[in-house]
Amino acid sequence: MPAITYLEAISDGLREEMRDDDSVFCLGEDIGAFGGAFKVTDGFYEEFGSDRVWDTPLAENAIVGTAVGAAIEGWRPVCEMQFADFIACGFDQLVNVAAKMNYRQGVSVPMVVRLPSGGGFSGGPYHSQNPEAWFMQAPGLKVVAPATAEDAKGLLASAIRDPNPVIYLEHKHLYRRIKGDVRAGRYETPLGELRVARAGTDLTVVAYGAMVHTALEATEDLDGASVEVLDLRTLCPMDTDGILKSVRKTSKVVVLHEATRSCGVGAEVCALIGEEAFEDLDGPIVRVTAPDVPIPFSPPLERAVLPQVDGVKEACRELLAY
Amino acid sequence: MSSSPTEQTGSLGESQELTEVVMPQMGVSVAEGTITAWRKQVGDWVERDEPILDISTDKVETEVPSPAAGRVAELIVAEGETVEVGTLLATLDTGAKPGEAHAAEANGDGSQAAEPKVPTAAATESAAPAQPTGSKAPRGTNSGNAAPVSPVVRRIADEHSVDLGAVPGTGRRGRVTKKDLLIFIESGEGTEGAQPPTSAGSSSTPAPSPGSTGASAPRALHIESPYVEEPPLTSADAAKLPGGGEMSVMRKRIAEHMVRSVQTAAHCTTVTEADMAAVERARKGGPKKLSYLAFVARATVGALRENPQLNATIEGDRITPHEEVHLGIAVSLGDAGLVVPVIRNAHELSHEGIAARIADVAERARSKRLEPGETQGGTFTITNPGPFGTLISTPIINQPQVGILDLEAVAKRPVVVTDADGNDSIAIRPMSYLCLSWDHRAIDGVRAAQFLAALRAGLEGWRG
């Protein structure tokens, strides 16, 4: 079983689903003959043809809207946004139409929108965002953010099979940096279940996406402390039981994400812990996030904005010493 | 020196309340300061806002006023040391009273403060035991007991009856962390507090707690959260009892129907009482003894004809009164459930006819031989738990009908009766409560009462 990259795992997962189910098709900008901006759909056009791999105009509203209609008609469309940032153009179709369809009319909308997200490569303010929290405020959408190649494939399969619209955040920084032994053939990683990336007893770091790797690196050797790292995997529905179980064990929590701070995933996790596990806390809940600013292009500025290994170490040390 | 602080320490122990003196924030950018001089020593009395020490920072040199009036209990940071803003410098016993230990200070005029005393080493040392002599636990090696206690530490300490003052803290400002506390408990040091106070807490060896098995085993640590998930309520034994497991199809339909009715209708229940003596006579007089139900059903038909608003169905905003009375009769099938076969055109039947129809549908309901349509189209329903001796019920309306009558047990009760001459006497009469649940969306209480009055009149003046 050869190790493949995070990006290859996404391709592999999408290909398996398209082979397995004729109702699955994908659409997006330059995903056909060109194989996608990041080459996720490289070779798809050749294998599945133009009926199932659609090159669309530069119109995210149309991409998402078309997918909503196709999903209502029983197809399982997988949209690719060239960059997660551009989903803003398709926001209305997603938040007001797709998310509410089941509540209003009992109609399911089984679609996936793939969002290449995240920074760390000087992409600047329009190509580096982490917009997951936008969608967590739209009941009816599910939000997935894999951190490993194995989960990238398994969560994509689950997202495509899910009867709801699912936002699938794939972190660009992980595309070719992360490798894993990914099983051949199709398999599903269940939505709503976190993964304990590393077990520990002294402190919990809650993270997802690329920050799982930052957390692991920062806490690998932290003055002998035993640090548990949770990979949320699915942000909505969130594995609240899994988070609370860990908090009740360690009593100290750092919540880490690359997205901006206010009203972010971390705020939700903090509120959950404050409400449900107050009696188990042995220190303040600490958030490590990007500040509330757009992501700068300048490499040193971008490093200053995005959470880095050293910053996570510092936060963990502070809390361990509390 | 007339004011040796050791002279009257015994009286200090009664009400020690400690107030902290911390390194103040002297300007936004100042992070630390150096103690240049203590103006007070342990045991000295200090007034609120009276200078207690001098500090030096990289911006200013200043005196620090006391945050409260009290007696200096402990000086924590020595002269010449540099510490962070917020660091605990000293504690004041604000429960002490001036002059208790220092008669000379009783005037509190501040003249003492102008000439800071420099106690001898011996005096300072002997001041240390100025802790209340009755104190049950030593203050430990750290002075950080005033640091905040986290929720989990508080909880575990309470569960193990640990005096946190005795636990060495390694956290910020000497705070006792969860880890500190667990190590302390595991070491067995804190367990004497959990015992019944037989040995005045002087034992140094941990005694087993009541639940512990081994004589020398330390008490099992409870560090898990109290919020354990509740185990599912199903047990192996319960699963074997009849009625367990998934609901039958009939049960589910009853459940759905009942919940929908409660959510749909504005249920009210009105109760009247009827003297069944006339009915009783008629029962005995007939060719064969009929049930009360047949009589009540016949009287109900009569009352419904007088009050057609109750012989009605309601759907949405639409009420439909019916001329014909199609009377539903609830038939229990035991634990299996309940069906309500409908006696169509009950208004065309005598009480004997109704009795025969009831017997027929009940028998066929129990043997599952009802025709599919026979439980539909009812305009009013009667339910009859009476044979089991119950007194009052509040039945749920059989949607979309407007009312349901509940016939309770007929029981002999002492009642006041009035004879033709107006004389009251107490008599033994066969009485029964008749309970009508009705839908306040369709009718109001007056109509329900009028219906029950008509029903009662029909029963009490039974003429067949």
Side-chain angles (χ1 to χ4, degrees), chain B residues 212-282:
Chain B
S212 121
T213 48
S216 61
R219 182 173 169 183
L221 278 189
H222 176 81
I223 61 168
E224 291 302 314
S225 163
Y227 301 100
V228 288
E229 276 180 44
E230 292 201 11
L233 284 172
T234 54
S235 71
D237 293 340
K240 290 177 196 148
L241 294 174
E246 192 174 343
M247 287 182 179
S248 67
V249 174
M250 176 181 276
R251 197 71 251 160
K252 283 180 186 166
R253 288 187 58 190
I254 293 171
E256 185 270 333
H257 188 81
M258 291 300 106
V259 169
R260 182 162 53 84
S261 180
V262 168
Q263 288 173 346
T264 302
H267 277 80
C268 289
T269 303
T270 308
V271 181
T272 193
E273 188 185 28
D275 182 336
M276 304 293 271
V279 170
E280 187 71 48
R281 278 194 298 278

Side-chain angles (χ1 to χ4, degrees), chain A residues 201-202 225-226 241 247-252 276-283 317-322, chain B residues 148-153 155-156 170-173 175-180 223-229:
Chain A
T201 55
D202 297 343
S226 166
D241 288 347
V247 172
R248 283 170 185 154
K249 178 170 61 172
T250 64
S251 297
K252 290 184 174 180
E276 302 289 334
F278 178 76
E279 289 274 307
D280 291 291
L281 287 175
D282 195 26
R317 281 206 181 98
E318 277 275 309
L319 185 56
L320 283 165
Y322 178 82
Chain B
V149 175
S150 70
V152 72
V153 168
R155 175 167 65 72
I156 296 172
T170 64
R172 194 172 295 159
R173 290 170 56 198
R175 194 183 72 85
V176 174
T177 67
K178 176 179 163 189
K179 213 173 189 174
D180 296 333
I223 61 168
E224 291 302 314
S225 163
Y227 301 100
V228 288
E229 276 180 44

Side-chain angles (χ1 to χ4, degrees), chain B residues 388-442:
Chain B
F388 298 101
T390 53
L391 199 61
I392 285 178
S393 298
T394 58
I396 293 173
I397 293 167
N398 188 8
Q399 292 299 323
Q401 298 164 21
V402 168
I404 180 168
L405 183 76
D406 167 67
L407 166 62
E408 292 293 344
V410 178
K412 287 180 180 164
R413 283 196 275 271
V415 293
V416 176
V417 294
T418 308
D419 66 17
D421 298 328
N423 298 315
D424 287 344
S425 61
I426 293 175
I428 299 169
R429 311 291 290 191
M431 304 298 291
S432 179
Y433 293 114
L434 297 157
C435 310
L436 175 75
S437 284
W438 47 279
D439 189 343
H440 214 324
R441 293 180 304 163

Side-chain angles (χ1 to χ4, degrees), chain A residues 44-63:
Chain A
F44 279 48
Y45 183 80
E46 289 75 9
E47 178 171 351
F48 300 108
S50 58
D51 282 354
R52 297 181 66 195
V53 186
W54 298 5
D55 270 325
T56 68
L58 281 172
E60 286 78 10
N61 190 19
I63 297 172

